[in-house]
């Protein structure tokens, strides 16, 4: 018995010594010598306990909105409701964006009930019940989606930023849910973008690889330079492009991937890709004089045409006159010409194969001689690929839809975040209010 008493005293003394290492200021410390434990409670915790909503601890609301009960019962439309002491509450964490920054708002919605003696039931006002039972507001979700889609931050980095900004955090699962929710909300927006792409007189197309759960798959871009949409496929087979462009009557601008050749529409091949290939082969084969001579002739043909594009724009009025030089080039340099150099033979076949799609731009207005527009539009995916490494299969289509909307906003010089905050679904209807600048400013 004596040893048990000694052990108890020893334990209590250890607790007393532990108190010396705890900050006492601002705390009230209770020493429970019977239970051998210390209970430390801050002054604020003595005033109020932690508030929780939907499983998350929240601070004290800085705004309360009250809803008076309805006057009449929903079922018994002629029966007036009696007053009831019962109240329902909903709490939403909101972000308020101003000209100079952003602040956090915790809004508490209080719906007072009305009692129906016929139903023997009390119910909050309809306007209160229509408020979504969610923890975060549309503005809050918009900021998370913006950080993920346009700024390309991981959810862990977004949380760090969020904590530094408003002293709050969300879960990784919540971030994924926000992306999915917004994707569904903007499904109509994507459909409008696709309609605009397919109604355009020209479309730029390109594709790139991505990793879905460690497996290589493909993203395809179709853009007009004003509208952007993406398609997702498990392989590089051209069926994705053929399905999307089925019945398309405009001009398709692409690189030299052979899969595009099966798409049944007029095509313009990218001269940037061709010039890049010519230049690389020229540098790696400095002693092939025959090939060097061929490259000079190609240069002498295309450079004046590109200069005319830069000077006058993509107008057939100024470019169609070069058709004679093109015909002469094929007659003297490509057709029935016998080459010994393997590279010359390679490019001779290439020019013969793509004769109808190399010079479409000189006989049509506003058709580009390169495919940089598609490459610029798909670069965002390539950057995200380096950041993320791999994507989740179920999440990626939702991500891709939002990137499509973001890139369309970007091409139209409209801020993606403001578009999300506006809740507008048609990007063309979304107008940016710009401050007028006086002549004296």
């Amino acid at each position: 018995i004596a040893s048990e008493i000694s052990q108890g005293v020893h334990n209590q003394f250890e607790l007393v010594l532990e108190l010396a290492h705890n900050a006492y200021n601002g705390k009230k410390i209770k020493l429970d010598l019977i239970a051998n434990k210390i209970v430390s409670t801050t002054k604020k915790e003595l005033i109020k306990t932690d508030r929780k909503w939907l499983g998350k601890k929240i601070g004290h609301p800085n705004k309360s909105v009250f809803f008076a009960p309805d006057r009449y019962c929903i079922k018994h439309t002629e029966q007036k409701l009696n007053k009831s002491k019962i109240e329902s509450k909903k709490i939403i964490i909101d972000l308020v964006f101003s000209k100079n920054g952003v602040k956090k708002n915790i809004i508490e919605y209080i719906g007072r009930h009305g009692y129906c003696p016929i139903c023997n039931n009390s119910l909050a006002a309809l306007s209160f019940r229509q408020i979504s039972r969610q923890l975060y507001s549309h503005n809050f979700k918009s900021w998370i989606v913006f950080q993920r889609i346009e700024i390309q931050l991981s959810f862990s980095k977004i949380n760090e930023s969020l904590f530094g900004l408003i002293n709050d955090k969300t879960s990784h699962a919540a971030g994924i849910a926000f992306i999915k929710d917004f994707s569904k909300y903007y499904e109509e927006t994507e459909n409008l973008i696709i309609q605009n792409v397919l109604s355009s007189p020209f479309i730029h197309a390109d594709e790139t690889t991505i990793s879905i759960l460690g497996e290589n798959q493909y993203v395809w871009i179709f853009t007009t330079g004003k509208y952007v949409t993406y398609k997702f496929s498990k392989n590089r087979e051209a069926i994705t492009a053929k399905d999307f462009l089925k019945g398309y009557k405009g001009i398709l601008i692409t690189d030299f991937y052979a899969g595009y050749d099966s798409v049944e529409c007029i095509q313009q091949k990218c001269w940037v890709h061709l010039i890049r290939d010519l230049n690389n082969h020229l540098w790696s084969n400095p002693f092939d004089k025959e090939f060097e001579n061929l490259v000079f002739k190609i240069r002498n043909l295309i450079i004046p045409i590109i200069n005319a594009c830069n000077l006058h724009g993509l107008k057939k009025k100024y470019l169609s006159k070069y058709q004679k030089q093109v015909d002469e080039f094929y007659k003297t340099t490509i057709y029935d010409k016998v080459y010994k150099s393997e590279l010359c033979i390679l490019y001779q076949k290439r020019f013969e194969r793509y004769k109808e799609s190399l010079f479409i731009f000189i006989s049509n207005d506003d058709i580009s001689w390169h495919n940089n527009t598609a490459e610029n539009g798909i670069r965002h995916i390539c950057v995200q690929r380096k950041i993320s490494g791999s994507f989740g299969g179920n999440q990626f289509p939702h991500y891709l839809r939002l990137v499509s909307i973001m890139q369309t906003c970007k091409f139209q010089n409209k801020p993606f975040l403001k578009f999300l905050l506006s809740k507008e679904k048609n990007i063309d209807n979304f107008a940016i209010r710009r401050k007028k600048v006086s002549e004296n400013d």
Side-chain angles (χ1 to χ4, degrees):
I1 296 175
S3 61
E4 291 179 0
I5 294 174
S6 297
Q7 184 64 42
V9 172
H10 173 75
N11 291 341
Q12 291 167 357
F13 280 163
E14 286 292 330
L15 289 172
V16 171
L17 292 174
E18 188 177 336
L19 292 177
H21 300 284
N22 289 316
Y24 185 81
N25 291 336
K27 295 185 178 182
K28 291 185 177 179
I29 302 175
K30 175 185 176 183
L31 180 62
D32 190 340
L33 295 179
I34 299 176
N36 288 338
K37 64 181 181 181
I38 300 173
V39 180
S40 178
T41 309
T42 65
K43 291 180 180 179
K44 290 184 178 180
E45 289 172 335
L46 290 172
I47 297 172
K48 61 180 181 180
T49 57
D50 286 332
R51 300 171 63 90
K52 281 192 175 184
W53 177 251
L54 299 179
K56 179 182 175 68
K57 290 183 179 180
I58 59 172
H60 189 72
N62 49 10
K63 182 179 179 181
S64 295
V65 180
F66 294 88
F67 291 81
D70 294 330
R71 294 188 62 188
Y72 294 91
C73 179
I74 296 176
K75 292 183 179 179
H76 310 96
T77 54
E78 296 182 358
Q79 175 63 49
K80 285 189 175 182
L81 297 176
N82 299 328
K83 291 183 178 180
S84 173
K85 294 182 179 181
I86 302 175
E87 292 180 343
S88 294
K89 294 183 179 181
K90 294 178 182 178
I91 295 177
I92 292 179
I93 298 177
D94 186 29
L95 288 183
V96 179
F97 294 88
S98 65
K99 180 181 178 181
N100 299 318
V102 58
K103 70 175 183 178
K104 174 183 175 182
N105 257 359
I106 301 177
I107 307 171
E108 182 179 45
Y109 295 94
I110 302 173
R112 289 164 178 160
H113 285 223
Y115 174 75
C116 175
I118 300 176
C119 298
N120 193 28
N121 190 21
S122 66
L123 198 64
L126 178 62
S127 55
F128 172 83
R129 287 183 279 117
Q130 287 176 339
I131 298 173
S132 176
R133 186 180 170 84
Q134 295 186 16
L135 180 60
Y136 299 105
S137 70
H138 179 86
N139 283 9
F140 191 100
K141 295 178 182 179
S142 296
W143 190 86
I144 299 293
V145 171
F146 165 74
Q147 294 284 318
R148 176 60 176 161
I149 300 299
E150 182 164 351
I151 308 303
Q152 297 181 292
L153 295 180
S154 65
F155 287 119
S156 60
K157 290 294 183 182
I158 292 173
N159 258 334
E160 290 179 17
S161 174
L162 191 64
F163 187 78
L165 185 68
I166 61 170
N167 195 30
D168 203 344
K169 286 187 176 183
T170 62
S171 66
H172 183 90
I176 293 173
F178 296 164
I179 298 293
K180 185 177 180 180
D181 290 346
F182 271 54
S183 171
K184 291 180 178 179
Y185 180 82
Y186 288 108
E187 186 175 357
E188 178 185 335
T189 307
E190 183 187 45
N191 292 334
L192 290 171
I193 290 173
I194 291 173
Q195 290 175 20
N196 282 298
V197 169
L198 292 176
S199 63
S200 172
F202 59 88
I203 296 175
H204 295 259
D206 201 2
E207 78 289 331
T208 191
T209 58
I210 53 159
S211 176
I212 302 294
L213 299 176
E215 180 183 353
N216 278 343
Q217 299 187 25
Y218 284 83
V219 170
W220 304 70
I221 182 174
F222 302 94
T223 178
T224 66
K226 184 178 180 181
Y227 303 96
V228 184
T229 187
Y230 300 92
K231 294 296 174 183
F232 171 51
S233 66
K234 292 187 176 181
N235 52 54
R236 204 186 181 192
E237 292 180 6
I239 188 66
T240 302
K242 290 177 68 176
D243 286 347
F244 180 77
L245 296 166
K246 187 176 182 180
Y248 179 64
K249 302 301 181 183
I251 297 173
L252 180 65
I253 305 170
T254 72
D255 58 21
F256 288 87
Y257 168 50
Y260 291 116
D261 296 345
S262 62
V263 179
E264 297 179 358
C265 67
I266 301 172
Q267 296 188 30
Q268 168 65 51
K269 295 302 178 183
C270 177
W271 268 93
V272 169
H273 284 79
L274 181 56
I275 292 171
R276 188 183 299 144
D277 291 344
L278 286 165
N279 200 40
N280 289 338
H281 280 131
L282 185 63
W283 278 110
S284 58
N285 296 272
F287 303 110
D288 191 334
K289 295 300 180 181
E290 190 177 37
F291 178 63
E292 183 181 272
N293 184 54
L294 174 61
V295 172
F296 286 162
K297 289 181 178 180
I298 296 172
R299 182 203 64 181
N300 292 339
L301 171 67
I302 194 62
I303 293 301
I305 300 177
I306 293 175
N307 285 337
C309 291
N310 294 334
L311 184 62
H312 302 292
L314 300 170
K315 302 297 180 182
K316 66 178 180 180
K317 174 182 177 181
Y318 302 103
L319 300 178
S320 58
K321 66 181 181 181
Y322 291 98
Q323 187 62 53
K324 291 182 180 179
Q325 285 91 323
V326 172
D327 294 338
E328 183 65 20
F329 169 80
Y330 270 87
K331 182 179 179 181
T332 60
T333 309
I334 302 301
Y335 292 149
D336 301 325
K337 184 76 174 180
V338 179
Y339 289 105
K340 296 180 180 179
S341 166
E342 292 183 0
L343 284 174
C344 286
I345 296 171
L346 174 68
Y347 281 97
Q348 182 184 34
K349 292 179 179 179
R350 193 169 180 180
F351 270 85
E352 286 179 344
R353 178 178 179 180
Y354 292 109
K355 180 182 184 301
E356 300 301 323
S357 55
L358 277 173
F359 298 95
I360 292 295
F361 73 99
I362 69 174
S363 56
N364 292 271
D365 286 334
D366 302 320
I367 303 303
S368 178
W369 52 274
H370 58 75
N371 199 28
N372 289 353
T373 302
E375 292 190 348
N376 289 337
I378 210 166
R379 186 172 292 122
H380 188 91
I381 301 293
C382 299
V383 172
Q384 189 64 58
R385 179 180 61 198
K386 292 181 179 179
I387 295 171
S388 301
S390 185
F391 296 89
N394 295 330
Q395 307 159 21
F396 190 68
H398 298 298
Y399 166 82
L400 209 56
R401 175 177 293 160
L402 294 174
V403 173
S404 168
I405 295 167
M406 182 274 295
Q407 285 286 19
T408 299
C409 287
K410 192 173 183 179
F411 277 179
Q412 296 186 24
N413 294 317
K414 297 178 179 180
F416 179 55
L417 177 58
K418 289 186 177 180
F419 175 74
L420 296 178
L421 295 172
S422 73
K423 296 186 180 180
E424 175 64 62
K425 291 188 177 182
N426 189 330
I427 297 176
D428 292 336
N429 292 341
F430 173 63
I432 310 169
R433 292 184 179 179
R434 300 187 184 277
K435 184 178 179 181
K436 293 184 179 180
V437 180
S438 66
E439 294 181 358
N440 297 326
D441 289 344

